[in-house]
Amino acid sequence: MVRKTPRKLPGRREDGATTKAQILEAAGAVFAEKGFDRATGKEIAERAGSNSAAVNYYYGGIEGLYAEVLVEAHRRLLTYDRLIALAEGPGEPMQKLKTLIGLIARTITGPATASWALGVLGREILSPSPAFAVLLKREILPKKLVITSIVGQILGLEHNDPVVTRCALNIIAPFAMLILGNRQIFTEVLPGLNPAEPGAQDAIVEHFQRFALAGLDATAKALRSDH
């Protein structure tokens, strides 16, 4: 007698990894819409096609789930592995930084703005939760060290020099504002920042690169003059 294999629904894998990923994706959307304080495990589970117990099983509760959503949101901007590959790859530090700015700028002004990642990060920046400590340790600080190391190489300074820190702030600040800001409000107050317009995204990316690199060049010249 031939045993028949149970027929699975097309496009659906019945395994734990898929369920865990579905919960994370649903949670990201809910947290972006409502924030951590107003989100519930029940709603997240329903959107994921699962049950509330799965949130506890895979993430230890809604707090642990929120922390993982924050980490995933930051990774969607730029993964640590990709950042390290860029930093340790061939090329001059100035070119590496230009490439890095381009990667981040295109992500923030591209289709990712329609996903939940930027919404979750924006809410967390405005009103940090206890989970921010997890994001800081696992994503922000490791990536900051790589970025400040590149900037330090350009300026001939250590990565933790105050001058390097100030330059890093100037480079990162525009991206933080784009994450925080409502795109409609931005385009009304500052016309020309709508990446959906033809050629606008390229112009925005090139401007961010040019402005940051020019500032670093001016800082480097000032340092040489002082010395």
Side-chain angles (χ1 to χ4, degrees):
M1 178 179 178
V2 178
R3 180 178 296 177
K4 295 183 178 179
T5 303
R7 183 172 177 269
K8 295 182 180 181
L9 294 176
R12 181 177 179 182
R13 294 176 55 208
E14 299 178 345
D15 58 60
T18 299
T19 300
K20 186 176 182 180
Q22 289 170 341
I23 292 172
L24 185 73
E25 201 68 28
V30 173
F31 289 137
E33 292 170 14
K34 299 186 174 182
F36 173 70
D37 293 339
R38 293 190 294 129
T40 65
K42 180 181 179 182
E43 180 179 2
I44 291 169
E46 288 177 350
R47 290 204 193 188
S50 186
N51 56 69
S52 298
V55 172
N56 293 325
Y57 178 78
Y58 289 109
Y59 295 99
I62 195 167
E63 293 85 3
L65 174 57
Y66 180 64
E68 290 301 321
V69 165
L70 282 178
V71 169
E72 175 61 21
H74 209 274
R75 286 175 179 165
R76 291 189 181 189
L77 295 184
L78 180 68
T79 65
Y80 180 76
D81 289 344
R82 190 172 188 183
L83 180 56
I84 281 290
L86 173 63
E88 296 181 350
E92 295 297 319
M94 192 72 88
Q95 182 58 47
K96 291 178 181 179
L97 183 62
K98 181 179 181 180
T99 301
L100 172 61
I101 292 171
L103 288 173
I104 300 175
R106 288 190 182 280
T107 299
I108 293 177
T109 59
T113 53
S115 75
W116 51 261
L118 297 188
V120 168
L121 291 173
R123 284 181 176 276
E124 184 63 21
I125 293 171
L126 287 173
S127 181
S129 71
F132 183 77
V134 177
L135 178 63
L136 188 68
K137 180 180 179 180
R138 290 173 56 182
E139 293 293 319
I140 295 176
L141 291 182
K143 291 174 181 174
K144 186 213 76 169
L145 179 58
V146 179
I147 294 171
T148 52
S149 295
I150 295 174
V151 175
Q153 291 171 22
I154 294 171
L155 299 176
L157 300 171
E158 294 297 322
H159 70 88
N160 57 353
D161 189 284
V163 175
V164 173
T165 302
R166 291 193 289 268
C167 289
L169 175 62
N170 284 131
I171 294 167
I172 295 169
F175 301 130
M177 288 302 298
L178 288 178
I179 291 173
L180 287 172
N182 178 287
R183 178 175 288 187
Q184 182 178 353
I185 294 175
F186 255 112
T187 54
E188 289 177 358
V189 177
L190 299 171
L193 283 181
N194 184 1
E197 296 177 358
Q201 188 188 44
D202 288 339
I204 292 170
V205 172
E206 290 170 6
H207 173 79
F208 281 2
Q209 292 171 325
R210 182 167 54 248
F211 206 84
L213 299 186
L216 282 175
D217 184 58
T219 302
K221 289 177 180 177
L223 289 171
R224 289 194 295 269
S225 176
D226 290 343
H227 291 161

